[in-house]
Amino acid sequence: NAGVMQNPRHLVRRRGQEARLRCSPMKGHSHVYWYRQLPEEGLKFMVYLQKENIIDESGMPKERFSAEFPKEGPSILRIQQVVRGDSAAYFCASSPIQNTEAFFGQGTRLTVV
Amino acid sequence: KNQVEQSPQSLIILEGKNCTLQCNYTVSPFSNLRWYKQDTGRGPVSLTIMTFSENTKSNGRYTATLDADTKQSSLHITASQLSDSASYICVVTESGGSYIPTFGRGTSLIVHP
């Protein structure tokens, strides 16, 4: 059973481009969480999704950021018109049911140049 | 506002020595508290999880304690090894609602030979 898979591991985008980050949860896990970690900072919650539903997006910026977890395929975190301040490590975690241990992926490191 | 405060921010110890990391939280109502280890450039990995009724949990050389009355937890590492060098993150989950966890900023531990 593979762990949580995130790709790409590293992503470089120019200012104004779109960034798409993918997360494939562990097999049997239907709950996905996205976190952002700025350099020298702790992880900050962004969004919590179940299959085809956004449960809590209270940590996600209102503009330029969106997330989805379709019935088939990975969860996607999309950042439109990226700015330098979006440079960070983005982690995805999954769990089988709510409020159980969440397993983290290795993260995607986004660099905006 | 739910908060998780960790101390010290960073810690340097010699290989073989013991150390204790602290976590204070204001999350309420309380569901559970987890300690994660995050190696540089990697995703966090769970070490221990404790619910309200548990006041100690061990995982090898790691022992976590919880005082739900004072809202404090500690992580004790015995006989430290070079591989213990990492960031240790305290995560507290609120009960009810969408069970979104609150992350501390972590304690950066460096073990020197």
Side-chain angles (χ1 to χ4, degrees):
Chain A
N1 186 9
V4 177
M5 303 299 292
Q6 290 190 247
N7 67 83
R9 289 293 309 276
H10 301 274
L11 181 62
V12 179
R13 283 287 177 265
R14 296 186 186 279
R15 281 178 293 171
Q17 290 186 318
E18 178 180 283
R20 279 182 160 229
L21 289 64
R22 295 176 183 77
C23 169
S24 296
M26 288 180 69
K27 188 176 180 180
H29 288 195
S30 59
H31 297 249
V32 167
Y33 309 80
W34 284 94
Y35 297 87
R36 176 164 63 178
Q37 187 172 36
L38 294 168
E40 308 301 323
E41 296 278 329
L43 284 93
K44 294 287 194 282
F45 166 76
M46 298 182 73
V47 62
Y48 164 34
L49 310 104
Q50 277 183 272
K51 283 287 188 180
E52 299 184 274
N53 290 305
I54 295 175
I55 306 301
D56 188 323
E57 55 182 348
S58 58
M60 200 149 71
K62 294 288 187 286
E63 297 179 351
R64 303 188 297 107
F65 285 73
S66 62
E68 62 178 13
F69 189 15
K71 186 176 181 181
E72 301 290 338
S75 176
I76 306 288
L77 179 68
R78 183 184 292 110
I79 311 172
Q80 296 177 305
Q81 298 176 319
V82 295
V83 300
R84 287 238 171 93
D86 296 331
S87 295
Y90 292 83
F91 288 95
C92 166
S94 75
S95 64
I97 58 176
Q98 191 181 54
N99 199 27
T100 56
E101 180 180 353
F103 294 84
F104 281 83
Q106 301 290 13
T108 293
R109 274 144 194 86
L110 172 66
T111 302
V112 180
V113 297
Chain B
K1 180 181 176 183
N2 288 335
Q3 288 188 309
V4 176
E5 301 289 339
Q6 291 188 243
S7 62
Q9 186 174 350
S10 60
L11 183 62
I12 301 174
I13 62 174
L14 291 176
E15 186 178 13
K17 297 296 185 183
N18 304 334
C19 66
T20 300
L21 314 180
Q22 301 290 344
C23 173
N24 297 337
Y25 62 91
T26 62
V27 176
S28 181
F30 174 86
S31 175
N32 59 66
L33 184 148
R34 299 186 175 101
W35 283 92
Y36 281 88
K37 178 187 179 188
Q38 184 176 23
D39 292 309
T40 300
R42 316 277 288 186
V45 175
S46 179
L47 294 175
T48 63
I49 177 171
M50 290 179 290
T51 59
F52 185 88
S53 59
E54 298 174 294
N55 54 25
T56 187
K57 183 72 70 77
S58 290
N59 178 2
R61 294 180 296 102
Y62 301 103
T63 299
T65 64
L66 172 65
D67 186 334
D69 291 330
T70 61
K71 298 187 178 181
Q72 295 179 324
S73 175
S74 65
L75 180 69
H76 187 71
I77 305 174
T78 59
S80 61
Q81 301 176 358
L82 298 180
S83 60
D84 292 333
S85 296
S87 180
Y88 292 84
I89 306 169
C90 176
V91 183
V92 184
T93 300
E94 181 181 356
S95 67
S98 55
Y99 292 94
I100 299 302
T102 302
F103 282 69
R105 293 185 61 169
T107 292
S108 176
L109 174 66
I110 299 174
V111 180
H112 278 315

